[in-house]
Amino acid sequence: GAATPGRIGDLHLAADIAHLIASGVWLGGLLPFAIALLLASRGGISPQSAGEITRRFSNLATVGVALIVLSGIVNSWVLVGSMSALTSSLYGCLLLAKIGLFAVMVGMAAFNRIGLAPRLMRETPLAARQLAINSGIELGLGLAVFAIVGVLGTLQPASHHHMAPTAD
């Protein structure tokens, strides 16, 4: 983000910062969340505590996902530039793969929040175990997203391929 000049660069940098913080909070919280749920599934944490942990993490993750989406739109606009660049460049194709994995993660998170979290108080061991497994899968998908981001960081952004050459 800091390499993009002008006001667009300021916006890009702010979006990058928000994207990194929100991603770190969501993914960084998944492992301790899954561990707490495993403890709840074994009776080491009360159903009330498991419910409260789930509610708090879910609210935090929802805000994180919203920030990831908004900042991702800004970053994509700056780094990709056009729909044709999104589909015709390696950078764009990897970004689409990243977005696809993210969408699967969000789908799992929505199922956890809507389908499993309400069952936590009634069926603590079973629901907590399934939530812990799903959170572990989300974390694994998140690590795959990070791997794609690592590769994207080595590539020239797609928007740079479609820029007119400058005169020296």
Side-chain angles (χ1 to χ4, degrees):
T4 306
R7 292 199 185 272
I8 297 297
D10 295 340
L11 177 64
H12 185 201
L13 181 59
D16 265 353
I17 292 168
H19 204 74
L20 291 170
I21 291 171
S23 299
V25 168
W26 183 23
L27 288 177
L30 279 170
L31 182 60
F33 178 60
I35 291 169
L37 291 169
L38 282 175
L39 289 171
S41 73
R42 296 178 180 152
I45 292 178
S46 72
Q48 293 77 19
S49 293
E52 183 63 16
I53 290 167
T54 299
R55 184 187 65 75
R56 287 181 180 201
F57 179 75
S58 182
N59 290 340
L60 181 67
T62 299
V63 171
V65 167
L67 279 173
I68 291 167
V69 169
L70 293 174
S71 59
I73 290 169
V74 170
N75 287 340
S76 296
W77 172 66
V78 172
L79 295 173
V80 178
S82 70
M83 289 303 286
S84 65
L86 185 62
T87 58
S88 66
S89 67
L90 176 58
Y91 190 94
C93 290
L94 286 172
L95 181 59
L96 287 173
K98 175 188 169 190
I99 292 168
L101 288 174
F102 175 74
V104 172
M105 292 174 68
V106 170
M108 289 188 75
F111 173 75
N112 289 344
R113 183 178 181 128
I114 296 166
L116 290 176
R119 292 181 22 211
L120 197 55
M121 298 302 275
R122 295 186 314 270
E123 310 165 31
T124 299
L126 182 60
R129 183 169 182 268
Q130 189 60 54
L131 273 167
I133 290 168
N134 288 1
S135 296
I137 293 168
E138 273 184 66
L139 182 58
L141 292 169
L143 294 175
V145 167
F146 279 176
I148 292 171
V149 168
V151 174
L152 286 171
T154 68
L155 299 175
Q156 186 177 37
S159 62
H160 294 185
H161 291 287
H162 295 15
M163 293 173 63
T166 59
D168 289 330

